[in-house]
Amino acid sequence: MAQLLDDRKDLIIPKKLVKVGVAQYSAVNFDLDKTLDRLETIVKDASNKGVKLLVFPEAFLPGYPHGGDLGVIFGNHALAGRKIYQLWHESAVEIPGPAITRLSKVAKDNSIFLVVGTIEKEPTSSTLYCTVVFVSDEGLYLGKHRKLMPTNVERLTWGLGDGSTLPVYDSPAGKVGAVICWENYMPLLRTTMYTKGIQIYCAPTADNGDNWQYTMRHIAMEGRCFVLGCNQFTRRSDYPADSEFPNAISDKDGDRVLCRGGSIIVSPLGEVLAGPNYSSEELLIAEIDLNDVIRGKYDLDVVGHYNRPDIFTLYVNEKANPGIVTKMQNLNCSEGGMNEDRGKCPHPCIKKGKGCEEKNTEAK
């Protein structure tokens, strides 16, 4: 941090200063209403300290089941796992729904942009998704990002996101987006976010390892963006009793730390501005200068002057991939397929007589 400040102290360009924060706190696991109460308290504290953008951990609403014993082995599905799944599903978040309405009010009342990890459920299925929601400082729900690839045991309980939820939004702190936990190890996903001009790269996580902070610093330097890595600090006592939540890590020791945090805020040149904290809950805050993003890209812009598009091409499929298709669709058509006349592609290029871009057929 000191070197970056020294480098810019004589610049005449006005600073674009704003305070950002990460909320390293535990949820009241499996209790959505109480966790929302806790979130509101944290947001008010952050707002009083001047924070304009605040990130909450992966699955904060209603919690990540660290140590949850799902009782699954090859060829068997234990009843204990079904009970935990039901407990999780009952406390999950519908989008839109009452929890999002409350988040919107909290954001507006405190003039703060919120990036919140949730477990999402749909009204038409029982599948859960690991999701991040974005709510503006004016109280508007902007959209969401669904985790593309759940990790390890998470695949037992979460569905897969698709390319339709890879947003980057304007915020008081700059262009903001989110990549969840081990998605950050997916180079092409990171590149996708860079191409969208991300400046505030949010990384809600449940990673409990020792090397996560290296990844956060690498991404900051690679993308020349600010990185806000946010994790929970949670103990066994933050979860229901053993009868409701059998735990493979610690069933009886309420003080046992199940996730030790390690949240961090990093500058575009890889300097640690806040954190990591491995010992307690904490609101981490850093005042950032958005001009540092441009200054950082002076010598490295991986999707700009340091790119070789003549050699490398990245194709990103940003279409939704619904489980149920209610109208006949030509899935090869880049604009969504056939209409009710069955066979007429509504792609604009048809009107120009060029045919569908992907099928390259002549218009009829």
Side-chain angles (χ1 to χ4, degrees):
M1 180 63 177
Q3 181 61 47
L4 185 60
L5 290 174
D6 288 343
D7 288 344
R8 70 186 185 197
K9 65 181 179 180
D10 295 325
L11 293 175
I12 62 174
I13 300 174
K15 296 178 181 179
K16 297 180 180 179
L17 299 178
V18 64
K19 286 186 179 180
V20 297
V22 296
Q24 180 170 293
Y25 291 89
S26 174
V28 184
N29 289 275
F30 304 117
D31 192 322
L32 181 57
D33 290 336
K34 289 184 179 179
T35 303
L36 282 167
D37 290 342
R38 173 160 244 216
L39 177 145
E40 184 171 359
T41 299
I42 296 167
V43 170
K44 287 180 179 178
D45 181 35
S47 179
N48 290 336
K49 294 176 179 176
V51 173
K52 296 300 180 184
L53 181 143
L54 183 61
V55 183
F56 283 84
E58 178 181 16
F60 187 76
L61 298 177
Y64 187 95
H66 286 282
D69 187 353
L70 298 175
V72 177
I73 57 175
F74 280 104
N76 185 48
H77 314 280
L79 178 60
R82 299 183 189 277
K83 289 181 177 179
I84 290 178
Y85 188 82
Q86 182 179 7
L87 184 66
W88 213 5
H89 187 275
E90 288 178 353
S91 55
V93 175
E94 290 187 7
I95 304 174
I100 300 301
T101 300
R102 185 169 178 189
L103 280 179
S104 298
K105 185 178 187 305
V106 170
K108 182 177 181 180
D109 289 348
N110 293 279
S111 299
I112 194 167
F113 192 106
L114 296 179
V115 181
V116 183
T118 71
I119 294 301
E120 177 192 359
K121 63 181 176 182
E122 293 184 317
T124 57
S125 76
S126 295
T127 299
L128 299 177
Y129 296 90
C130 181
T131 300
V132 168
V133 297
F134 301 84
V135 181
S136 79
D137 51 313
E138 297 177 343
L140 300 176
Y141 165 69
L142 300 177
K144 66 187 178 185
H145 165 56
R146 280 182 175 175
K147 193 173 188 179
L148 297 180
M149 180 52 66
T151 301
N152 205 342
V153 182
E154 294 171 354
R155 299 182 196 180
L156 299 174
T157 53
W158 296 347
L160 303 180
D162 60 38
S164 67
T165 65
L166 300 174
V168 169
Y169 297 108
D170 289 325
S171 80
K175 294 184 180 298
V176 60
V179 180
I180 306 170
C181 203
W182 277 23
E183 283 188 319
N184 287 281
Y185 294 135
M186 300 172 72
L188 301 185
L189 176 54
R190 298 199 308 268
T191 302
T192 300
M193 302 309 286
Y194 302 152
T195 64
K196 293 174 181 282
I198 193 168
Q199 297 169 312
I200 310 297
Y201 185 113
C202 302
T205 187
D207 189 281
N208 210 12
D210 295 323
N211 299 320
W212 180 249
Q213 289 68 32
Y214 299 122
T215 296
M216 297 293 94
R217 296 184 71 178
H218 169 81
I219 291 172
M221 294 190 67
E222 177 182 71
R224 291 303 201 251
C225 51
F226 289 97
V227 173
L228 280 60
C230 186
N231 197 4
Q232 291 192 44
F233 183 90
T234 187
R235 293 183 170 89
R236 178 64 182 91
S237 57
D238 295 312
Y239 291 86
D242 180 51
S243 58
E244 297 181 50
F245 182 67
N247 193 287
I249 299 177
S250 175
D251 284 335
K252 298 179 181 179
D253 182 3
D255 291 331
R256 174 73 178 269
V257 175
L258 302 184
C259 186
R260 61 196 184 105
S263 301
I264 194 170
I265 301 176
V266 189
S267 82
L269 292 182
E271 296 166 300
V272 177
L273 306 181
N277 177 358
Y278 295 104
S279 60
S280 65
E281 294 182 320
E282 184 181 3
L283 175 64
L284 281 75
I285 299 173
E287 185 174 59
I288 65 173
D289 182 356
L290 199 59
N291 287 323
D292 288 341
V293 173
I294 301 300
R295 285 191 279 266
K297 290 185 178 182
Y298 155 68
D299 53 358
L300 178 69
D301 185 346
V302 294
V303 295
H305 61 76
Y306 217 87
N307 185 22
R308 286 295 305 273
D310 56 321
I311 300 174
F312 304 110
T313 300
L314 173 61
Y315 170 76
V316 183
N317 180 5
E318 293 194 348
K319 292 180 184 177
N321 188 26
I324 299 175
V325 179
T326 56
K327 292 184 179 180
M328 178 174 283
Q329 293 181 341
N330 177 358
L331 298 181
N332 289 320
C333 175
S334 62
E335 290 297 317
M338 302 168 74
N339 61 16
E340 287 78 5
D341 293 334
R342 301 184 65 181
K344 294 182 179 180
C345 173
H347 195 288
C349 61
I350 289 292
K351 299 178 181 179
K352 300 177 182 178
K354 297 181 180 178
C356 177
E357 290 177 346
E358 296 186 27
K359 293 292 288 183
N360 196 27
T361 57
E362 293 184 0
K364 297 181 180 179

